Amino acid sequence: MSPTCSRWFDGERFCIQSHLIKEEYPPLSNEEIEFRLNEEGRDDGKTYERLPSKKGWVRGLVATAVVGVGTLTYLYPMEMLWGASFLIAAPLIGVGTYLGLAAMIGKRVYDRVAAVAVPFVMSNLDTKMARTRRELLKSIRGRVIDVGCATGCYLRYYEERHEDIDEVVMLEPNLGMHKALRDAIDRHTNIARKCRISAEFLENQERGDGFDWVVLGNVMCEIPDPKAALVEVNRLLTKGGRVYFVEHIAHPHGSFGARLQNLLHPIWFLLSGGCNCNRRSLDMLKQTDWSLIYWLHPFQYFPGPFVSGLAVKKDY
């Protein structure tokens, strides 16, 4: 049985069960956080395209070839011949080339792939984290905005709290997912009439009377400018409003896991259509003015450990 951690936050008690609980990961000063964010080169306040540049996909292609040839050299050091190397490395190089060309063609290629792959991945993750999500969302109410909702894996939790929820804005810019999202909404009959699908980006979302809850479910890894996105989330929140988040994050700075993430990042970015496996999303959340609580769940698979928790916008 996994350990259970009971903690108080914003007047509520939360009992979270996970593989491992850590209080800090580790504590950093604001100067250290800023340095580490800027050091990665993609979180320096600039706006980036979702897909890599030519230089980015070239790095990914080279990394793919190096991994393939390096694996061959390790497995067959004495039989390392150019002919055999090419036969084994060629498929890897071919995949890297295709993904690089797809990146140059445009975003639509990845949108089609994501429409098929994302629901499968998110469903698997939801199975692993259902108990944690239900506990953290047990008080969800009022106006809710689900950022990057994909095909609606959180709908079942909204359904359970439908009496306390006034409206749910399902924000999903990828139009390829909208049909599956509409079907999922129709299956959740109690909350369906309160749901509204929006294809707008976060910065174009109207605040209205503000949102009581913002749901960030595995989206910060793909947002081109995550720090700007958190500013937009703060704009949309009411005073005392809550942010639910779950993200995969970078391993501790300087660790073997962090080095591995940095090495494989170009390939992962291409394969996933824009996911940054080495992004320090938790550090960015700590930089906000919100009160924060989180639990670390280091599942034993790539792209890295998962963190989930809540944040509250202060009343002043």
Side-chain angles (χ1 to χ4, degrees), residues 170-211:
M170 309 293 287
L171 196 64
E172 180 49 63
N174 186 347
L175 299 178
M177 296 188 184
H178 281 203
K179 183 181 184 302
L181 177 57
R182 283 192 292 269
D183 292 342
I185 290 173
D186 291 341
R187 290 194 298 270
H188 296 82
T189 55
N190 290 322
I191 198 66
R193 62 183 179 83
K194 299 181 180 181
C195 290
R196 174 171 64 86
I197 298 176
S198 173
E200 294 179 333
F201 289 99
L202 195 60
E203 60 268 23
N204 298 325
Q205 181 64 43
E206 292 291 336
R207 184 180 187 277
D209 295 329
F211 289 89

mmCIF file of all heavy atoms in Angstrom, residues 170-211:
data_model
loop_
_atom_site.group_PDB
_atom_site.id
_atom_site.type_symbol
_atom_site.label_atom_id
_atom_site.label_comp_id
_atom_site.label_asym_id
_atom_site.label_seq_id
_atom_site.Cartn_x
_atom_site.Cartn_y
_atom_site.Cartn_z
ATOM 1 N N MET A 170 -14.547 24.563 -21.650
ATOM 2 C CA MET A 170 -13.604 23.545 -22.105
ATOM 3 C C MET A 170 -12.732 24.172 -23.187
ATOM 4 O O MET A 170 -13.136 24.298 -24.345
ATOM 5 C CB MET A 170 -14.344 22.322 -22.639
ATOM 6 C CG MET A 170 -15.408 21.773 -21.695
ATOM 7 S SD MET A 170 -14.708 21.079 -20.175
ATOM 8 C CE MET A 170 -13.979 19.570 -20.770
ATOM 9 N N LEU A 171 -11.529 24.584 -22.809
ATOM 10 C CA LEU A 171 -10.647 25.326 -23.705
ATOM 11 C C LEU A 171 -9.711 24.354 -24.424
ATOM 12 O O LEU A 171 -8.840 23.741 -23.803
ATOM 13 C CB LEU A 171 -9.841 26.342 -22.893
ATOM 14 C CG LEU A 171 -9.143 27.459 -23.656
ATOM 15 C CD1 LEU A 171 -10.148 28.356 -24.352
ATOM 16 C CD2 LEU A 171 -8.284 28.283 -22.696
ATOM 17 N N GLU A 172 -9.894 24.203 -25.742
ATOM 18 C CA GLU A 172 -9.078 23.286 -26.531
ATOM 19 C C GLU A 172 -8.862 23.853 -27.936
ATOM 20 O O GLU A 172 -9.753 23.781 -28.788
ATOM 21 C CB GLU A 172 -9.725 21.904 -26.612
ATOM 22 C CG GLU A 172 -8.936 20.897 -27.429
ATOM 23 C CD GLU A 172 -7.466 20.859 -27.033
ATOM 24 O OE1 GLU A 172 -7.162 20.499 -25.871
ATOM 25 O OE2 GLU A 172 -6.615 21.215 -27.885
ATOM 26 N N PRO A 173 -7.673 24.423 -28.201
ATOM 27 C CA PRO A 173 -7.404 25.017 -29.513
ATOM 28 C C PRO A 173 -7.308 24.012 -30.656
ATOM 29 O O PRO A 173 -7.468 24.380 -31.821
ATOM 30 C CB PRO A 173 -6.060 25.731 -29.312
ATOM 31 C CG PRO A 173 -5.933 25.906 -27.827
ATOM 32 C CD PRO A 173 -6.610 24.716 -27.232
ATOM 33 N N ASN A 174 -7.016 22.735 -30.346
ATOM 34 C CA ASN A 174 -6.884 21.709 -31.381
ATOM 35 C C ASN A 174 -8.280 21.265 -31.838
ATOM 36 O O ASN A 174 -8.954 20.484 -31.170
ATOM 37 C CB ASN A 174 -6.092 20.516 -30.854
ATOM 38 C CG ASN A 174 -5.795 19.483 -31.937
ATOM 39 O OD1 ASN A 174 -6.360 19.519 -33.030
ATOM 40 N ND2 ASN A 174 -4.918 18.554 -31.633
ATOM 41 N N LEU A 175 -8.699 21.738 -32.995
ATOM 42 C CA LEU A 175 -10.039 21.433 -33.500
ATOM 43 C C LEU A 175 -10.227 19.943 -33.778
ATOM 44 O O LEU A 175 -11.356 19.453 -33.785
ATOM 45 C CB LEU A 175 -10.318 22.235 -34.769
ATOM 46 C CG LEU A 175 -10.294 23.763 -34.620
ATOM 47 C CD1 LEU A 175 -10.547 24.431 -35.971
ATOM 48 C CD2 LEU A 175 -11.331 24.226 -33.604
ATOM 49 N N GLY A 176 -9.128 19.238 -34.022
ATOM 50 C CA GLY A 176 -9.219 17.811 -34.286
ATOM 51 C C GLY A 176 -9.752 17.003 -33.117
ATOM 52 O O GLY A 176 -10.192 15.865 -33.298
ATOM 53 N N MET A 177 -9.732 17.577 -31.927
ATOM 54 C CA MET A 177 -10.229 16.872 -30.743
ATOM 55 C C MET A 177 -11.669 17.215 -30.400
ATOM 56 O O MET A 177 -12.261 16.609 -29.506
ATOM 57 C CB MET A 177 -9.335 17.189 -29.533
ATOM 58 C CG MET A 177 -7.917 16.695 -29.675
ATOM 59 S SD MET A 177 -7.007 16.888 -28.127
ATOM 60 C CE MET A 177 -5.378 16.350 -28.628
ATOM 61 N N HIS A 178 -12.257 18.171 -31.081
ATOM 62 C CA HIS A 178 -13.563 18.682 -30.674
ATOM 63 C C HIS A 178 -14.690 17.666 -30.819
ATOM 64 O O HIS A 178 -15.602 17.643 -29.999
ATOM 65 C CB HIS A 178 -13.895 19.960 -31.445
ATOM 66 C CG HIS A 178 -13.201 21.162 -30.890
ATOM 67 N ND1 HIS A 178 -13.636 22.453 -31.078
ATOM 68 C CD2 HIS A 178 -12.072 21.275 -30.131
ATOM 69 C CE1 HIS A 178 -12.840 23.303 -30.468
ATOM 70 N NE2 HIS A 178 -11.872 22.608 -29.899
ATOM 71 N N LYS A 179 -14.641 16.835 -31.843
ATOM 72 C CA LYS A 179 -15.712 15.848 -32.004
ATOM 73 C C LYS A 179 -15.722 14.873 -30.832
ATOM 74 O O LYS A 179 -16.775 14.600 -30.232
ATOM 75 C CB LYS A 179 -15.555 15.075 -33.308
ATOM 76 C CG LYS A 179 -16.696 14.071 -33.558
ATOM 77 C CD LYS A 179 -16.502 13.299 -34.834
ATOM 78 C CE LYS A 179 -17.707 12.392 -35.091
ATOM 79 N NZ LYS A 179 -17.942 11.440 -33.981
ATOM 80 N N ALA A 180 -14.534 14.337 -30.489
ATOM 81 C CA ALA A 180 -14.438 13.420 -29.357
ATOM 82 C C ALA A 180 -14.810 14.126 -28.059
ATOM 83 O O ALA A 180 -15.423 13.528 -27.156
ATOM 84 C CB ALA A 180 -13.036 12.836 -29.262
ATOM 85 N N LEU A 181 -14.465 15.409 -27.956
ATOM 86 C CA LEU A 181 -14.805 16.180 -26.762
ATOM 87 C C LEU A 181 -16.314 16.359 -26.644
ATOM 88 O O LEU A 181 -16.886 16.191 -25.557
ATOM 89 C CB LEU A 181 -14.112 17.537 -26.808
ATOM 90 C CG LEU A 181 -14.410 18.509 -25.662
ATOM 91 C CD1 LEU A 181 -14.066 17.886 -24.315
ATOM 92 C CD2 LEU A 181 -13.643 19.821 -25.860
ATOM 93 N N ARG A 182 -16.978 16.688 -27.758
ATOM 94 C CA ARG A 182 -18.445 16.836 -27.724
ATOM 95 C C ARG A 182 -19.123 15.522 -27.349
ATOM 96 O O ARG A 182 -20.089 15.507 -26.577
ATOM 97 C CB ARG A 182 -18.943 17.319 -29.081
ATOM 98 C CG ARG A 182 -18.722 18.805 -29.344
ATOM 99 C CD ARG A 182 -19.483 19.281 -30.552
ATOM 100 N NE ARG A 182 -18.946 18.693 -31.778
ATOM 101 C CZ ARG A 182 -17.998 19.245 -32.512
ATOM 102 N NH1 ARG A 182 -17.461 20.398 -32.151
ATOM 103 N NH2 ARG A 182 -17.569 18.653 -33.622
ATOM 104 N N ASP A 183 -18.610 14.415 -27.880
ATOM 105 C CA ASP A 183 -19.180 13.105 -27.541
ATOM 106 C C ASP A 183 -19.010 12.812 -26.055
ATOM 107 O O ASP A 183 -19.923 12.276 -25.406
ATOM 108 C CB ASP A 183 -18.505 12.009 -28.362
ATOM 109 C CG ASP A 183 -18.839 12.103 -29.852
ATOM 110 O OD1 ASP A 183 -19.841 12.777 -30.186
ATOM 111 O OD2 ASP A 183 -18.097 11.520 -30.672
ATOM 112 N N ALA A 184 -17.845 13.159 -25.505
ATOM 113 C CA ALA A 184 -17.601 12.923 -24.076
ATOM 114 C C ALA A 184 -18.528 13.774 -23.214
ATOM 115 O O ALA A 184 -19.051 13.312 -22.195
ATOM 116 C CB ALA A 184 -16.145 13.221 -23.748
ATOM 117 N N ILE A 185 -18.733 15.020 -23.628
ATOM 118 C CA ILE A 185 -19.639 15.896 -22.879
ATOM 119 C C ILE A 185 -21.055 15.333 -22.890
ATOM 120 O O ILE A 185 -21.751 15.313 -21.861
ATOM 121 C CB ILE A 185 -19.615 17.319 -23.470
ATOM 122 C CG1 ILE A 185 -18.268 17.986 -23.179
ATOM 123 C CG2 ILE A 185 -20.743 18.174 -22.898
ATOM 124 C CD1 ILE A 185 -18.090 19.330 -23.854
ATOM 125 N N ASP A 186 -21.506 14.847 -24.032
ATOM 126 C CA ASP A 186 -22.862 14.292 -24.140
ATOM 127 C C ASP A 186 -23.057 13.071 -23.243
ATOM 128 O O ASP A 186 -24.174 12.807 -22.782
ATOM 129 C CB ASP A 186 -23.160 13.917 -25.598
ATOM 130 C CG ASP A 186 -23.295 15.137 -26.503
ATOM 131 O OD1 ASP A 186 -23.526 16.240 -25.956
ATOM 132 O OD2 ASP A 186 -23.157 14.994 -27.725
ATOM 133 N N ARG A 187 -21.973 12.328 -23.004
ATOM 134 C CA ARG A 187 -22.088 11.145 -22.139
ATOM 135 C C ARG A 187 -22.228 11.526 -20.668
ATOM 136 O O ARG A 187 -22.701 10.709 -19.866
ATOM 137 C CB ARG A 187 -20.862 10.240 -22.319
ATOM 138 C CG ARG A 187 -20.806 9.533 -23.658
ATOM 139 C CD ARG A 187 -19.780 8.415 -23.643
ATOM 140 N NE ARG A 187 -18.432 8.896 -23.395
ATOM 141 C CZ ARG A 187 -17.587 9.272 -24.357
ATOM 142 N NH1 ARG A 187 -17.970 9.238 -25.619
ATOM 143 N NH2 ARG A 187 -16.372 9.677 -24.061
ATOM 144 N N HIS A 188 -21.814 12.719 -20.295
ATOM 145 C CA HIS A 188 -21.923 13.173 -18.904
ATOM 146 C C HIS A 188 -23.125 14.111 -18.810
ATOM 147 O O HIS A 188 -22.986 15.338 -18.856
ATOM 148 C CB HIS A 188 -20.630 13.865 -18.466
ATOM 149 C CG HIS A 188 -19.439 12.942 -18.446
ATOM 150 N ND1 HIS A 188 -18.721 12.626 -19.595
ATOM 151 C CD2 HIS A 188 -18.844 12.261 -17.433
ATOM 152 C CE1 HIS A 188 -17.733 11.807 -19.276
ATOM 153 N NE2 HIS A 188 -17.786 11.566 -17.969
ATOM 154 N N THR A 189 -24.276 13.526 -18.694
ATOM 155 C CA THR A 189 -25.535 14.256 -18.878
ATOM 156 C C THR A 189 -25.780 15.334 -17.834
ATOM 157 O O THR A 189 -26.406 16.354 -18.132
ATOM 158 C CB THR A 189 -26.703 13.264 -18.868
ATOM 159 O OG1 THR A 189 -26.655 12.486 -17.652
ATOM 160 C CG2 THR A 189 -26.606 12.306 -20.061
ATOM 161 N N ASN A 190 -25.317 15.139 -16.613
ATOM 162 C CA ASN A 190 -25.605 16.112 -15.556
ATOM 163 C C ASN A 190 -24.830 17.413 -15.733
ATOM 164 O O ASN A 190 -25.325 18.492 -15.389
ATOM 165 C CB ASN A 190 -25.294 15.512 -14.173
ATOM 166 C CG ASN A 190 -26.259 14.433 -13.782
ATOM 167 O OD1 ASN A 190 -27.455 14.531 -14.061
ATOM 168 N ND2 ASN A 190 -25.767 13.370 -13.154
ATOM 169 N N ILE A 191 -23.624 17.324 -16.259
ATOM 170 C CA ILE A 191 -22.794 18.520 -16.411
ATOM 171 C C ILE A 191 -22.831 19.060 -17.843
ATOM 172 O O ILE A 191 -22.399 20.197 -18.097
ATOM 173 C CB ILE A 191 -21.324 18.213 -16.001
ATOM 174 C CG1 ILE A 191 -20.536 19.509 -15.731
ATOM 175 C CG2 ILE A 191 -20.636 17.370 -17.059
ATOM 176 C CD1 ILE A 191 -21.008 20.281 -14.539
ATOM 177 N N ALA A 192 -23.381 18.286 -18.776
ATOM 178 C CA ALA A 192 -23.320 18.634 -20.205
ATOM 179 C C ALA A 192 -23.896 20.016 -20.497
ATOM 180 O O ALA A 192 -23.316 20.797 -21.258
ATOM 181 C CB ALA A 192 -24.037 17.574 -21.033
ATOM 182 N N ARG A 193 -25.027 20.337 -19.898
ATOM 183 C CA ARG A 193 -25.683 21.615 -20.202
ATOM 184 C C ARG A 193 -24.905 22.818 -19.676
ATOM 185 O O ARG A 193 -25.167 23.959 -20.061
ATOM 186 C CB ARG A 193 -27.097 21.617 -19.618
ATOM 187 C CG ARG A 193 -27.152 21.496 -18.120
ATOM 188 C CD ARG A 193 -28.584 21.420 -17.594
ATOM 189 N NE ARG A 193 -28.639 21.278 -16.150
ATOM 190 C CZ ARG A 193 -28.562 22.285 -15.299
ATOM 191 N NH1 ARG A 193 -28.415 23.522 -15.767
ATOM 192 N NH2 ARG A 193 -28.613 22.078 -14.002
ATOM 193 N N LYS A 194 -23.939 22.568 -18.789
ATOM 194 C CA LYS A 194 -23.141 23.666 -18.222
ATOM 195 C C LYS A 194 -21.791 23.813 -18.919
ATOM 196 O O LYS A 194 -21.017 24.700 -18.571
ATOM 197 C CB LYS A 194 -22.918 23.425 -16.727
ATOM 198 C CG LYS A 194 -24.216 23.372 -15.911
ATOM 199 C CD LYS A 194 -23.932 23.149 -14.434
ATOM 200 C CE LYS A 194 -25.221 23.087 -13.628
ATOM 201 N NZ LYS A 194 -24.956 22.891 -12.182
ATOM 202 N N CYS A 195 -21.512 22.942 -19.898
ATOM 203 C CA CYS A 195 -20.216 22.956 -20.571
ATOM 204 C C CYS A 195 -20.274 23.775 -21.859
ATOM 205 O O CYS A 195 -21.254 23.724 -22.596
ATOM 206 C CB CYS A 195 -19.767 21.531 -20.909
ATOM 207 S SG CYS A 195 -19.325 20.543 -19.471
ATOM 208 N N ARG A 196 -19.208 24.487 -22.120
ATOM 209 C CA ARG A 196 -19.075 25.254 -23.358
ATOM 210 C C ARG A 196 -17.677 25.038 -23.917
ATOM 211 O O ARG A 196 -16.684 25.228 -23.225
ATOM 212 C CB ARG A 196 -19.304 26.744 -23.088
ATOM 213 C CG ARG A 196 -19.056 27.646 -24.293
ATOM 214 C CD ARG A 196 -19.515 29.062 -24.027
ATOM 215 N NE ARG A 196 -18.785 29.720 -22.952
ATOM 216 C CZ ARG A 196 -17.624 30.367 -23.115
ATOM 217 N NH1 ARG A 196 -17.053 30.403 -24.322
ATOM 218 N NH2 ARG A 196 -17.040 30.965 -22.093
ATOM 219 N N ILE A 197 -17.601 24.606 -25.173
ATOM 220 C CA ILE A 197 -16.310 24.368 -25.819
ATOM 221 C C ILE A 197 -15.790 25.663 -26.439
ATOM 222 O O ILE A 197 -16.540 26.396 -27.088
ATOM 223 C CB ILE A 197 -16.438 23.276 -26.903
ATOM 224 C CG1 ILE A 197 -16.881 21.955 -26.277
ATOM 225 C CG2 ILE A 197 -15.108 23.095 -27.637
ATOM 226 C CD1 ILE A 197 -17.123 20.848 -27.294
ATOM 227 N N SER A 198 -14.523 25.930 -26.239
ATOM 228 C CA SER A 198 -13.897 27.120 -26.812
ATOM 229 C C SER A 198 -12.571 26.725 -27.466
ATOM 230 O O SER A 198 -11.806 25.939 -26.899
ATOM 231 C CB SER A 198 -13.639 28.180 -25.734
ATOM 232 O OG SER A 198 -12.894 29.265 -26.254
ATOM 233 N N ALA A 199 -12.319 27.257 -28.661
ATOM 234 C CA ALA A 199 -11.062 27.007 -29.363
ATOM 235 C C ALA A 199 -10.090 28.175 -29.207
ATOM 236 O O ALA A 199 -9.036 28.189 -29.846
ATOM 237 C CB ALA A 199 -11.329 26.734 -30.839
ATOM 238 N N GLU A 200 -10.439 29.143 -28.386
ATOM 239 C CA GLU A 200 -9.585 30.312 -28.209
ATOM 240 C C GLU A 200 -8.333 29.961 -27.410
ATOM 241 O O GLU A 200 -8.328 29.016 -26.619
ATOM 242 C CB GLU A 200 -10.348 31.419 -27.474
ATOM 243 C CG GLU A 200 -11.512 32.005 -28.251
ATOM 244 C CD GLU A 200 -12.227 33.077 -27.453
ATOM 245 O OE1 GLU A 200 -12.173 33.007 -26.211
ATOM 246 O OE2 GLU A 200 -12.823 33.971 -28.071
ATOM 247 N N PHE A 201 -7.293 30.739 -27.628
ATOM 248 C CA PHE A 201 -6.115 30.604 -26.788
ATOM 249 C C PHE A 201 -6.346 31.339 -25.473
ATOM 250 O O PHE A 201 -7.240 32.185 -25.361
ATOM 251 C CB PHE A 201 -4.883 31.150 -27.509
ATOM 252 C CG PHE A 201 -4.433 30.290 -28.651
ATOM 253 C CD1 PHE A 201 -4.772 30.607 -29.955
ATOM 254 C CD2 PHE A 201 -3.683 29.149 -28.409
ATOM 255 C CE1 PHE A 201 -4.358 29.810 -31.016
ATOM 256 C CE2 PHE A 201 -3.259 28.343 -29.458
ATOM 257 C CZ PHE A 201 -3.605 28.669 -30.767
ATOM 258 N N LEU A 202 -5.532 31.000 -24.492
ATOM 259 C CA LEU A 202 -5.745 31.503 -23.139
ATOM 260 C C LEU A 202 -5.778 33.022 -23.085
ATOM 261 O O LEU A 202 -6.623 33.618 -22.403
ATOM 262 C CB LEU A 202 -4.645 30.960 -22.225
ATOM 263 C CG LEU A 202 -4.858 31.061 -20.720
ATOM 264 C CD1 LEU A 202 -6.109 30.311 -20.296
ATOM 265 C CD2 LEU A 202 -3.640 30.496 -19.995
ATOM 266 N N GLU A 203 -4.879 33.656 -23.831
ATOM 267 C CA GLU A 203 -4.801 35.111 -23.775
ATOM 268 C C GLU A 203 -6.015 35.800 -24.406
ATOM 269 O O GLU A 203 -6.251 36.979 -24.176
ATOM 270 C CB GLU A 203 -3.517 35.610 -24.451
ATOM 271 C CG GLU A 203 -3.398 35.237 -25.909
ATOM 272 C CD GLU A 203 -2.665 33.931 -26.117
ATOM 273 O OE1 GLU A 203 -2.628 33.112 -25.171
ATOM 274 O OE2 GLU A 203 -2.125 33.724 -27.232
ATOM 275 N N ASN A 204 -6.782 35.065 -25.214
ATOM 276 C CA ASN A 204 -7.972 35.639 -25.858
ATOM 277 C C ASN A 204 -9.254 35.342 -25.094
ATOM 278 O O ASN A 204 -10.330 35.763 -25.504
ATOM 279 C CB ASN A 204 -8.101 35.099 -27.286
ATOM 280 C CG ASN A 204 -6.922 35.475 -28.155
ATOM 281 O OD1 ASN A 204 -6.364 36.565 -28.003
ATOM 282 N ND2 ASN A 204 -6.520 34.595 -29.051
ATOM 283 N N GLN A 205 -9.145 34.618 -23.998
ATOM 284 C CA GLN A 205 -10.320 34.230 -23.236
ATOM 285 C C GLN A 205 -10.867 35.414 -22.440
ATOM 286 O O GLN A 205 -10.125 36.086 -21.720
ATOM 287 C CB GLN A 205 -9.980 33.077 -22.278
ATOM 288 C CG GLN A 205 -11.131 32.576 -21.446
ATOM 289 C CD GLN A 205 -12.229 31.965 -22.291
ATOM 290 O OE1 GLN A 205 -11.969 31.227 -23.215
ATOM 291 N NE2 GLN A 205 -13.468 32.273 -21.957
ATOM 292 N N GLU A 206 -12.159 35.659 -22.572
ATOM 293 C CA GLU A 206 -12.798 36.732 -21.821
ATOM 294 C C GLU A 206 -12.913 36.353 -20.349
ATOM 295 O O GLU A 206 -13.276 35.231 -20.011
ATOM 296 C CB GLU A 206 -14.194 37.020 -22.386
ATOM 297 C CG GLU A 206 -14.193 37.625 -23.782
ATOM 298 C CD GLU A 206 -13.652 39.043 -23.788
ATOM 299 O OE1 GLU A 206 -13.715 39.702 -22.738
ATOM 300 O OE2 GLU A 206 -13.137 39.471 -24.838
ATOM 301 N N ARG A 207 -12.607 37.312 -19.485
ATOM 302 C CA ARG A 207 -12.654 37.040 -18.045
ATOM 303 C C ARG A 207 -14.069 37.022 -17.503
ATOM 304 O O ARG A 207 -14.427 36.201 -16.664
ATOM 305 C CB ARG A 207 -11.825 38.084 -17.288
ATOM 306 C CG ARG A 207 -11.734 37.812 -15.794
ATOM 307 C CD ARG A 207 -10.894 38.879 -15.097
ATOM 308 N NE ARG A 207 -10.666 38.546 -13.707
ATOM 309 C CZ ARG A 207 -11.534 38.799 -12.718
ATOM 310 N NH1 ARG A 207 -12.687 39.400 -12.987
ATOM 311 N NH2 ARG A 207 -11.242 38.459 -11.464
ATOM 312 N N GLY A 208 -14.918 37.949 -17.978
ATOM 313 C CA GLY A 208 -16.268 38.046 -17.429
ATOM 314 C C GLY A 208 -16.224 38.365 -15.950
ATOM 315 O O GLY A 208 -15.522 39.285 -15.510
ATOM 316 N N ASP A 209 -16.946 37.593 -15.160
ATOM 317 C CA ASP A 209 -16.949 37.771 -13.706
ATOM 318 C C ASP A 209 -15.799 37.040 -13.033
ATOM 319 O O ASP A 209 -15.719 36.994 -11.802
ATOM 320 C CB ASP A 209 -18.278 37.277 -13.120
ATOM 321 C CG ASP A 209 -19.462 38.119 -13.585
ATOM 322 O OD1 ASP A 209 -19.254 39.324 -13.815
ATOM 323 O OD2 ASP A 209 -20.568 37.571 -13.734
ATOM 324 N N GLY A 210 -14.924 36.462 -13.832
ATOM 325 C CA GLY A 210 -13.798 35.720 -13.276
ATOM 326 C C GLY A 210 -14.137 34.257 -13.080
ATOM 327 O O GLY A 210 -15.302 33.864 -13.043
ATOM 328 N N PHE A 211 -13.098 33.443 -12.941
ATOM 329 C CA PHE A 211 -13.278 32.003 -12.754
ATOM 330 C C PHE A 211 -12.868 31.623 -11.335
ATOM 331 O O PHE A 211 -11.860 32.090 -10.816
ATOM 332 C CB PHE A 211 -12.444 31.225 -13.766
ATOM 333 C CG PHE A 211 -12.962 31.325 -15.175
ATOM 334 C CD1 PHE A 211 -12.534 32.347 -16.014
ATOM 335 C CD2 PHE A 211 -13.896 30.419 -15.652
ATOM 336 C CE1 PHE A 211 -13.015 32.450 -17.311
ATOM 337 C CE2 PHE A 211 -14.389 30.513 -16.949
ATOM 338 C CZ PHE A 211 -13.947 31.525 -17.780
#
